[in-house]
């Protein structure tokens, strides 16, 4: 949900970690995954929550919610993820997010 124009307060721990470079790198790395949203007619948050719930070992997800609209968004529109889409997400994560994780590590 962040973009290059996002600014964090000086006392927000994300200020030094979610730099413009990190945000842009994450957006680029996640783009193939977010394209699944059109297939499922869902938001990125709904896709992410549905992915977590697609694991048989997981029975509940507790996402952060700050207001009523986030509560509604995080408790509706969830769906069973097709096994091939779950595999695609995992493969993309393993292959495409390594650079992003290295970038995070370099920021401390």
């Amino acid at each position: 949900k962040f973009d290059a124009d996002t600014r964090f307060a000086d006392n927000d721990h994300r200020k030094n970690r979610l730099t413009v470079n990190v945000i842009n790198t994450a957006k680029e790395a996640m783009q193939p995954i977010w394209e699944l949203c059109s297939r499922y007619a869902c938001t990125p948050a709904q896709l992410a929550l549905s992915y977590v719930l697609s694991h048989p070992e997981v029975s509940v997800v507790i996402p952060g919610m700050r207001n009523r609209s986030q509560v509604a968004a995080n408790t509706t529109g969830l769906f069973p993820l097709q096994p091939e889409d779950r595999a695609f997400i995992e493969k993309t994560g393993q292959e495409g997010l390594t650079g992003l994780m290295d970038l995070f590590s370099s920021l401390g």
Side-chain angles (χ1 to χ4, degrees), residues 10 24 33-34 61 79 102:
D10 288 338
N24 288 339
I33 293 170
W34 296 143
V61 177
F79 51 89
D102 291 344

Side-chain angles (χ1 to χ4, degrees), residues 14-23 100-108:
R14 298 171 295 182
K15 180 176 177 132
N16 296 319
R17 299 208 35 120
L18 293 182
T19 63
V20 171
N21 189 22
V22 167
I23 290 170
L100 180 61
M101 298 314 294
D102 291 344
L103 185 55
F104 269 130
S105 294
S106 73
L107 295 172

